[in-house]
Structures are given as structure tokens and as C-alpha cells.
């Protein structure tokens, strides 16, 4: 079964007609390590799932790349500003490994929301989960020590330590690579 539909099912029931229409609107593509799904200033508004691969979201501040999140297989992703506000993206989304992607345009999804109320409910639940993750991230950055943020990362996404370079992880944690090395010892 299509991984994007599988993820939608995690949030609620989809009837057969809705699944068929979603399937018809999903695009599959593969990306090589280093390529981008989205760059700052673009208006790409899609939800997507990786069936294989790894991504990072980052933005620039004072000429430095700052990582804001990492995504692994079987999670729903999308850049919030283009998806919900139709504003250009502030962030960049880059593939850290060769990846396989299933995506649906938000315009298609919004049309399906109107047609299938149960899908609309699923979309709301996905948005709620994103809000929770973002609030937890904000709280973590402002209340936890570097060690606590590192421990949270290990708990929530343990595979990242084997898949992401330490510079990206340090940036995500808001610390220097040297501090990360000390914490890991």
C-alpha cells in the first residue's frame, strides 16, 4: 500500500472511494542525496512521506545553516508556511540520503477535504500533531540544557545519530560541535 495513505490511516478511517482518489493524486519520485525538496522562497505546498531516506530542514542566519528538524521514513512532512498560509518557505528541505518520496499537493488535498469529511478530520489531526511537536521543540530550546536536548533527541529519534553528521546534529541542538563532542563523551 502507498505509504502516504498508510500514514493518513494512522489518524483515522478512510473509505475506499477516498483512498482511490488520494492514490490518483499522489506523485512518486526519487531524490539523490544533497538534492532539495524545497528551497527558501519557494511555494511548494505538499504533504509528503519518505518510504526510504532521510531529510533535514534548515534555514540561514548570519550566513550559517541552522537545522530545525530531521525527518525519517514513514512520517508526514511539509513546510508549514507554504502548506497553511501560501507564503513562500522560510526553510530549506534537503535530502541527506538517496530517498523515495510520495507526495500530494495541498490544493488536491484541500479539494479532497471538501469531498470527504473523514479526510478533513485526518488533516486536522495531522495539523494538531505538528503543533504539539513544534511547541515541544520551542519549550525544549528554551528550558532544557544542551545535555537534556541531546538526551531527548536520542530518545525521540535514536537512528539519527548513525545517519546524520555531527555538525547537523549540533546545529539542531543549538550548540557547537565541540560541545556536542563533550556531551557524547
Amino acid at each position: 500500500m502507498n505509504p502516504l495513505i498508510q500514514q493518513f490511516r494512522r489518524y483515522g478511517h478512510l473509505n475506499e472511494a477516498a483512498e482511490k482518489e488520494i492514490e490518483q493524486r499522489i506523485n512518486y519520485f526519487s531524490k539523490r542525496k544533497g538534492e532539495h525538496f524545497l528551497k527558501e522562497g519557494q511555494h511548494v505546498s505538499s504533504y509528503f512521506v519518505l518510504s526510504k531516506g532521510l531529510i533535514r530542514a534548515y534555514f540561514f542566519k548570519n550566513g550559517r545553516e541552522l537545522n530545525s528538524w530531521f525527518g525519517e521514513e514513514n512520517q508526514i512532512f511539509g513546510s508549514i508556511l507554504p502548506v497553511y498560509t501560501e507564503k513562500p518557505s522560510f526553510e530549506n528541505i534537503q535530502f541527506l540520503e538517496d530517498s523515495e518520496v510520495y507526495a500530494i499537493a495541498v490544493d488536491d488535498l484541500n479539494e479532497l477535504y471538501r469531498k470527504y469529511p473523514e479526510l478533513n478530520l485526518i488533516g486536522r489531526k495531522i495539523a494538531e500533531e505538528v503543533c504539539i511537536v513544534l511547541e515541544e521543540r520551542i519549550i525544549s530550546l528554551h528550558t532544557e540544557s544542551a545535555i537534556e536536548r541531546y538526551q531527548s533527541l536520542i530518545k525521540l529519534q535514536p537512528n539519527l545519530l548513525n545517519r546524520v553528521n555531527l555538525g547537523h546534529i549540533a546545529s539542531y541542538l543549538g550548540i557547537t560541535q565541540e560541545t556536542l563532542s563533550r556531551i557524547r563523551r
Side-chain angles (χ1 to χ4, degrees):
M1 170 176 288
N2 184 301
L4 189 53
I5 292 173
Q6 283 180 321
Q7 291 308 305
F8 286 158
R9 282 180 160 184
R10 284 184 46 225
Y11 297 93
H13 173 75
L14 283 174
N15 69 46
E16 196 174 314
E19 279 191 28
K20 283 182 183 175
E21 280 204 56
I22 294 167
E23 184 75 47
Q24 292 169 355
R25 295 172 190 238
I26 289 176
N27 294 307
Y28 165 83
F29 54 91
S30 59
K31 290 286 190 176
R32 309 277 302 162
K33 178 180 178 178
E35 291 184 317
H36 283 79
F37 179 79
L38 176 73
K39 289 189 176 182
E40 180 181 352
Q42 289 182 324
H43 290 271
V44 177
S45 56
S46 296
Y47 279 131
F48 65 98
V49 168
L50 300 175
S51 61
K52 173 186 166 214
L54 180 70
I55 55 174
R56 74 176 175 127
Y58 68 96
F59 57 92
F60 291 96
K61 183 176 179 186
N62 299 327
R64 290 183 39 226
E65 291 181 4
L66 299 176
N67 291 288
S68 51
W69 54 269
F70 298 101
E72 300 175 274
E73 295 86 355
N74 301 314
Q75 296 173 293
I76 294 178
F77 305 104
S79 184
I80 290 179
L81 288 177
V83 166
Y84 293 111
T85 68
E86 297 181 16
K87 290 181 181 177
S89 177
F90 180 75
E91 66 188 349
N92 303 276
I93 298 177
Q94 181 183 42
F95 295 93
L96 295 177
E97 297 174 352
D98 291 347
S99 299
E100 295 176 3
V101 181
Y102 290 81
I104 187 167
V106 169
D107 289 343
D108 285 338
L109 201 51
N110 284 331
E111 188 178 316
L112 293 171
Y113 285 162
R114 286 187 286 279
K115 191 170 182 178
Y116 301 102
E118 69 270 21
L119 187 56
N120 195 357
L121 178 61
I122 289 169
R124 190 193 84 219
K125 287 180 178 180
I126 292 168
E128 288 171 356
E129 186 173 279
V130 168
C131 287
I132 291 166
V133 168
L134 291 175
E135 186 165 334
E136 287 174 345
R137 171 92 168 121
I138 291 166
I139 291 167
S140 169
L141 287 170
H142 290 285
T143 64
E144 293 181 344
S145 69
I147 293 170
E148 291 169 325
R149 290 192 305 272
Y150 178 73
Q151 290 168 338
S152 292
L153 178 66
I154 291 171
K155 180 180 174 188
L156 296 173
Q157 291 182 289
N159 295 327
L160 287 184
L161 297 177
N162 298 324
R163 298 173 76 183
V164 177
N165 76 47
L166 294 181
H168 288 326
I169 290 174
S171 167
Y172 172 78
L173 296 172
I175 59 178
T176 65
Q177 204 165 337
E178 292 77 18
T179 299
L180 178 59
S181 294
R182 281 194 300 276
I183 289 170
R184 293 184 72 203
R185 275 189 242 125

